[in-house]
Amino acid sequence: MSIAGAVVVYVLCWWFCFFMALPFGARPLENPEIGHAESAPANPRLKLKALIATIGGLVMTIVIWQIIESDLISFYQPQKS
């Protein structure tokens, strides 16, 4: 896998992990102020979720890289002569 391919895979994996981590521990406010969404989380902890996404994206990228490099799944068409 090229470096550009690895960066693309990492970015996609990071976003997948980030969206999966968003609902972790999300609890709405007890008494929301007027004009605020009732479903908005009281403490979103976005830095923690970004850290989880960073680690998860790195692990997923390494696994995908290993699968591609081991030719477990081949992405190349055989050449016809």
Side-chain angles (χ1 to χ4, degrees), residues 18-32:
F18 185 69
F19 284 129
M20 287 189 292
L22 277 178
F24 295 167
R27 294 190 183 20
L29 290 169
E30 294 288 328
N31 299 315

Side-chain angles (χ1 to χ4, degrees), residues 12-46:
L12 289 173
C13 291
W14 190 92
W15 278 106
F16 292 150
C17 290
F18 185 69
F19 284 129
M20 287 189 292
L22 277 178
F24 295 167
R27 294 190 183 20
L29 290 169
E30 294 288 328
N31 299 315
E33 296 179 21
I34 295 174
H36 290 197
E38 293 180 9
S39 60
N43 186 9
R45 299 184 296 184
L46 291 178

Side-chain angles (χ1 to χ4, degrees), residues 3-80:
I3 293 183
V7 169
V8 169
V9 168
Y10 176 74
V11 169
L12 289 173
C13 291
W14 190 92
W15 278 106
F16 292 150
C17 290
F18 185 69
F19 284 129
M20 287 189 292
L22 277 178
F24 295 167
R27 294 190 183 20
L29 290 169
E30 294 288 328
N31 299 315
E33 296 179 21
I34 295 174
H36 290 197
E38 293 180 9
S39 60
N43 186 9
R45 299 184 296 184
L46 291 178
K47 289 181 183 177
L48 174 64
K49 293 173 184 182
L51 178 65
I52 291 169
T54 301
I55 295 168
L58 183 63
V59 169
M60 288 175 63
T61 302
I62 291 170
V63 168
I64 292 169
W65 177 73
Q66 289 291 330
I67 290 171
I68 291 172
E69 291 298 317
S70 70
D71 280 336
L72 187 64
I73 300 172
S74 179
F75 293 99
Y76 302 106
Q77 295 290 332
Q79 297 291 328
K80 294 182 181 180

